[in-house]
């Protein structure tokens, strides 16, 4: 059972469109090595996500091997996006807990994602400022280099 399936309530799509290589729903039983290939995460990271509560309820085969579904891959895609935002792992775990608690946590989830969005926008603004400094330096050195070439030529 996936994080998204534990609520038994209406859920949104965790991520973008499904990847073409995925199996159809119902036939979507992936080993940990297949998930490693899909996601680029290590098996160690996947097991750690499960231990900390970020990926609970991973189905197991009759031999005890983890079996991931398309929904798990969607969830991992979302987790990857949240990691890229700089969201702390503790907040990602909190978000997963809120999802499992059900629809009555929409407000808390909204606030958590809104705070992360504000942080991302602030980082983007910082990066724009940094890019402007780089552009000025590149222009300065480009002009200086052209001047030196002209002077030498």
């Amino acid at each position: 059972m996936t994080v998204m399936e534990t609520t038994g309530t209406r859920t949104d799509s965790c991520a973008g469109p499904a990847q073409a290589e995925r199996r159809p729903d119902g036939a979507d039983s992936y080993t940990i090595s297949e998930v490693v290939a899909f996601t680029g995460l290590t098996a160690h990271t996947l097991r750690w996500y499960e231990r900390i509560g970020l990926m609970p309820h991973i189905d197991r085969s009759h031999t005890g091997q983890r079996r991931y579904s398309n929904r798990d891959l969607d969830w991992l895609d979302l987790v990857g996006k949240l990691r890229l935002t700089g969201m702390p792992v503790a907040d990602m775990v909190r978000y997963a807990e809120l999802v499992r608690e059900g629809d009555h946590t929409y407000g808390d989830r909204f606030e958590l994602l809104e705070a992360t969005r504000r942080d991302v926008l602030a980082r983007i603004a910082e990066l724009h400022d940094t890019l402007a400094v780089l552009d000025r330096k590149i222009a300065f050195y480009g002009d200086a280099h052209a001047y030196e070439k002209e002077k030498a030529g």
Side-chain angles (χ1 to χ4, degrees), residues 129-144:
D129 291 344
T130 302
L131 185 59
V133 169
L134 287 173
D135 288 344
R136 285 193 301 273
K137 288 293 188 183
I138 289 168
F140 171 80
Y141 289 119
D143 291 346

Side-chain angles (χ1 to χ4, degrees), residues 33-92:
S33 60
E34 289 173 316
V35 173
V36 164
F38 268 108
T39 64
L41 298 169
T42 66
H44 175 78
T45 299
L46 291 168
R47 289 195 277 298
W48 179 66
Y49 281 180
E50 193 174 347
R51 271 193 314 278
I52 66 172
L54 196 51
M55 283 289 305
H57 308 295
I58 299 300
D59 284 338
R60 301 282 180 142
S61 71
H62 68 282
T63 60
Q65 293 179 315
R66 288 170 178 84
R67 294 291 182 213
Y68 296 84
S69 69
N70 288 330
R71 299 217 26 163
D72 295 322
L73 294 177
D74 288 344
W75 179 258
L76 287 168
D77 188 48
L78 175 64
V79 168
K81 299 291 189 274
L82 294 177
R83 286 182 63 220
L84 287 174
T85 69
M87 179 186 273
V89 172
D91 287 349
M92 288 188 274

Side-chain angles (χ1 to χ4, degrees), residues 13-34:
S13 173
C14 290
Q19 299 172 0
E21 308 87 32
R22 291 189 184 182
R23 297 176 189 132
D25 290 342
D28 57 334
S29 179
Y30 304 96
T31 65
I32 199 165
S33 60
E34 289 173 316

Side-chain angles (χ1 to χ4, degrees), residues 87-139:
M87 179 186 273
V89 172
D91 287 349
M92 288 188 274
V93 170
R94 177 69 183 136
Y95 182 80
E97 290 168 350
L98 291 169
V99 169
R100 285 191 301 275
E101 288 176 25
D103 291 353
H104 69 278
T105 65
Y106 277 2
D108 292 333
R109 289 188 245 172
F110 176 85
E111 289 172 16
L112 184 58
L113 294 176
E114 274 290 314
T116 301
R117 184 178 191 281
R118 285 190 299 273
D119 292 344
V120 168
L121 288 172
R123 285 187 26 232
I124 289 170
E126 290 173 339
L127 287 171
H128 278 294
D129 291 344
T130 302
L131 185 59
V133 169
L134 287 173
D135 288 344
R136 285 193 301 273
K137 288 293 188 183
I138 289 168

